[in-house]
Amino acid sequence: MQNYINGRWTPSLSGETFSNINPADHRDVIGQFPLSGANDVALAAQAAADAFPAWSKMPAPKRGDILRRAGDIFARRMDELSRIMTREMGKTLTETRGDIQEAIDTAYYAATEGRRLFGINTPSELADKMNMSFRMPIGVCGIITAWNFPIAVPSWKILPALVCGNTVVFKPSEDAPHSGNIFAEILEEAGVPAGVFNVVHGAADCGKAIVEHPAIRVVGFTGSTATGTSIAARCGALNKKVSLEMGGKNAQIVMDDADLDLALEGVLWGAFGTTGQRCTATSRLIVHDAVHDELVQRLLKAAEKLVLGNGLTNDAAQVGPVINQRQLDKILAYVEIGASEATLVLGGNRATDGDLAHGTFMQPTIFTNVNRNHRIFQEEIFGPVLSVTRCSSYDEAIELANDCAYGLSSSIYTRDVNRAFRALRDLEAGISYVNAPTIGAEAHMPFGGIKGTGNGHREGGWTAFEIFTEWKSAYVDFSGRLQRAQIDT
Ligand code: UN1
């Protein structure tokens, strides 16, 4: 398996590689991928810079037509690609199909945006003069993403960047490189010209080279807050535009008047779907005293029954593996911390029954009696670990939910319409749900968070186009004489 640079599949210049293994079965080696460095990034950035003039001058509706075809090809290759994705990152086939569907939605949205990309005209303050403003592409965009949504999250960045007329250097996660290559195959088949889209595989060094390369004008990053913050500092020094999607510690509030069946289904899906490995995953459950004991009891019963397994070989599997040993170790360390501060009521161990022993599986884990000072209440764990905290009023619930360094997603279960709208106003998060879990954002809505989660940008929907364009203000004076703004009024 190779890099994709200037329309050609090439190994890394150093010849070094890394292994991609199946997290559900570590005996299954998917392939060796190039461990690329700054020299490989330089080749890709040069190819992208060379491809920029022609691609940026192609009419946007034509670029949109190419992306529509990419959406069609993603749909055609759904079965095969979902299996490739499940094999390399572990979530179930139902979920990897959803991941691809999100890219299809994003492709079709970007395709139609090729015919919009609206500018704004305003009246001039002077006679016989016209003011207009329109979007311009920026140049080469460096895209660095995580492994948990190997197709959807890259699509949120790459497809808007391309339809706006930019070219791209993409570094997929080392834990999901195969999906990145399929992305390249699909864009090539759709008609994206050589050099417009490039894939460079590698680790932190490779990401750093993307951030540093002078031809790369925009950096789009999804990953940890620590890495994102250091990328932002570097981009600040280099005067690059940077869009960040980072950590979350998302809370689901359940009020005393909630539909408990619904709240239970919501938290099971939000906390243990994708093995809790979403930036939007529910990691805190804040429950009103009046329903706390009943909900917790029912939650324990239901979570205990969740079926862990390899999504490729076990159709009944609901919860896949944790991505790798490093992440499993981190989760287990948090379980130890949690056990010293709160009450462990479910799970807490690596799951090793039968075939599970071949992978990095983690039991769904629940803590109760968690308070706001506990580290498991405050810190992102990124695994199937849920903290339950009591509250005695709406105000306390909101205060608890907001007592957190992150601000991505949030949710409230209540039947009181006034309370629901108050929560939409009061929750400090980029995304809030009423009577739905914290996961499940749709491709045509702004996606992103406040506080430690982001840096003010939103992917998804119409807001993604703000990241990948600059505005041009244009003035046309058709008076035939010098008119001085602010002076000849
Ligand atoms: C992520 O975890 O980085 O809302 C993205 C959701 C998905 C996207 C998650 N549509 O959970």
Side-chain angles (χ1 to χ4, degrees):
M1 309 258 187
Q2 300 187 314
N3 289 331
Y4 180 74
I5 298 176
N6 207 14
R8 281 189 295 275
W9 295 98
T10 51
S12 65
L13 290 169
S14 70
E16 282 182 73
T17 59
F18 64 92
S19 308
N20 180 18
I21 60 165
N22 179 344
D25 184 345
H26 289 211
R27 299 166 305 179
D28 177 23
V29 179
I30 295 155
Q32 301 301 316
F33 286 75
L35 189 63
S36 314
N39 293 341
D40 303 288
V41 169
L43 288 180
Q46 190 58 51
D50 292 346
F52 177 70
W55 179 250
S56 60
K57 288 191 184 75
M58 181 188 282
K62 286 215 160 44
R63 293 193 297 256
D65 289 345
I66 292 174
L67 297 185
R68 182 176 302 102
R69 282 202 291 280
D72 293 343
I73 302 166
F74 272 116
R76 191 190 81 215
R77 295 186 68 176
M78 169 83 87
D79 285 342
E80 171 213 356
L81 179 50
S82 62
R83 299 189 76 79
I84 286 171
M85 207 193 301
T86 295
R87 185 175 170 205
E88 72 176 346
M89 56 68 66
K91 63 188 178 187
T92 61
L93 288 172
T94 311
E95 291 197 28
T96 50
R97 292 177 72 89
D99 190 310
I100 298 161
Q101 186 58 48
E102 210 158 331
I104 296 168
D105 298 340
T106 302
Y108 293 157
Y109 190 94
T112 59
E113 200 60 29
R115 289 190 180 270
R116 286 194 298 260
L117 287 177
F118 292 137
I120 296 172
N121 291 355
T122 72
S124 169
E125 63 190 43
L126 293 163
D128 296 331
K129 190 179 174 198
M130 204 177 271
N131 294 356
M132 56 193 118
S133 62
F134 53 87
R135 293 178 185 280
M136 299 186 297
I138 304 177
V140 184
C141 303
I143 305 297
I144 303 169
T145 54
W147 47 268
N148 62 335
F149 277 81
I151 293 289
V153 169
S155 82
W156 295 353
K157 303 175 198 291
I158 292 164
L159 303 179
L162 291 179
V163 79
C164 291
N166 303 286
T167 57
V168 170
V169 175
F170 170 40
K171 187 190 100 57
S173 161
E174 309 93 287
D175 286 306
H178 196 183
S179 298
N181 280 5
I182 307 292
F183 212 115
E185 284 178 21
I186 288 175
L187 290 186
E188 182 181 85
E189 186 187 338
V192 172
V196 169
F197 177 69
N198 305 275
V199 179
V200 183
H201 294 288
D205 279 359
C206 178
K208 189 165 174 282
I210 289 177
V211 172
E212 297 285 335
H213 196 283
I216 293 177
R217 300 305 317 148
V218 185
V219 176
F221 171 81
T222 295
S224 74
T225 297
T227 306
T229 305
S230 73
I231 288 178
R234 203 56 202 131
C235 287
L238 297 170
N239 196 24
K240 297 188 183 196
K241 195 167 182 183
V242 58
S243 151
L244 304 171
E245 290 304 338
M246 304 180 286
K249 190 72 192 174
N250 314 292
Q252 173 179 322
I253 296 171
V254 181
M255 294 307 298
D256 47 352
D257 64 348
D259 176 336
L260 283 194
D261 295 332
L262 202 60
L264 174 64
E265 268 187 304
V267 67
L268 278 173
W269 176 228
F272 303 118
T274 327
T275 320
Q277 302 173 111
R278 293 195 189 211
C279 49
T280 51
T282 308
S283 55
R284 296 181 296 154
L285 182 66
I286 297 170
V287 192
H288 193 280
D289 276 330
V291 291
H292 176 278
D293 293 353
E294 183 187 347
L295 183 63
V296 167
Q297 213 173 32
R298 291 177 62 187
L299 176 61
L300 290 180
K301 263 199 207 133
E304 211 169 42
K305 289 201 198 102
L306 289 170
V307 179
L308 273 63
N310 180 339
L312 283 185
T313 54
N314 179 357
D315 286 344
Q318 294 167 294
V319 180
V322 166
I323 189 67
N324 55 36
Q325 187 64 45
R326 193 170 13 98
Q327 191 54 28
L328 181 65
D329 291 343
K330 179 181 166 196
I331 296 168
L332 290 169
Y334 268 109
V335 169
E336 246 179 75
I337 293 166
S340 72
E341 28 185 39
T343 315
L344 175 67
V345 289
L346 188 75
N349 293 306
R350 178 178 184 171
T352 51
D353 297 347
D355 284 344
L356 299 184
H358 298 304
T360 28
F361 286 90
M362 175 75 202
Q363 296 172 340
T365 298
I366 300 178
F367 287 96
T368 55
N369 296 319
V370 179
N371 73 42
R372 62 173 81 203
N373 301 316
H374 291 159
R375 285 183 63 189
I376 56 167
F377 184 90
Q378 294 289 349
E379 296 173 25
E380 186 178 46
I381 300 172
F382 223 66
V385 181
L386 178 70
S387 295
V388 187
T389 303
R390 287 173 176 276
C391 67
S392 52
S393 65
Y394 167 82
D395 287 340
E396 194 191 1
I398 295 289
E399 215 188 287
L400 283 163
N402 290 346
D403 186 355
C404 168
Y406 299 103
L408 181 54
S409 188
S410 54
S411 138
I412 185 165
Y413 282 74
T414 178
R415 287 184 170 112
D416 179 335
V417 67
N418 292 349
R419 221 180 230 169
F421 273 87
R422 258 179 228 136
L424 291 180
R425 180 194 61 195
D426 297 340
L427 284 165
E428 291 172 3
I431 304 169
S432 296
Y433 291 90
V434 173
N435 294 329
T438 61
I439 67 177
E442 301 177 21
H444 59 290
M445 288 280 283
F447 181 93
I450 62 174
K451 303 201 275 191
T453 297
N455 67 334
H457 289 286
R458 292 289 183 276
E459 309 192 293
W462 59 97
T463 42
F465 299 91
E466 290 297 334
I467 301 169
F468 298 106
T469 52
E470 296 273 16
W471 283 96
K472 165 75 59 89
S473 294
Y475 302 92
V476 181
D477 189 321
F478 49 95
S479 70
R481 59 185 194 279
L482 172 67
Q483 300 196 86
R484 296 173 301 174
Q486 293 91 39
I487 292 168
D488 301 329
T489 47

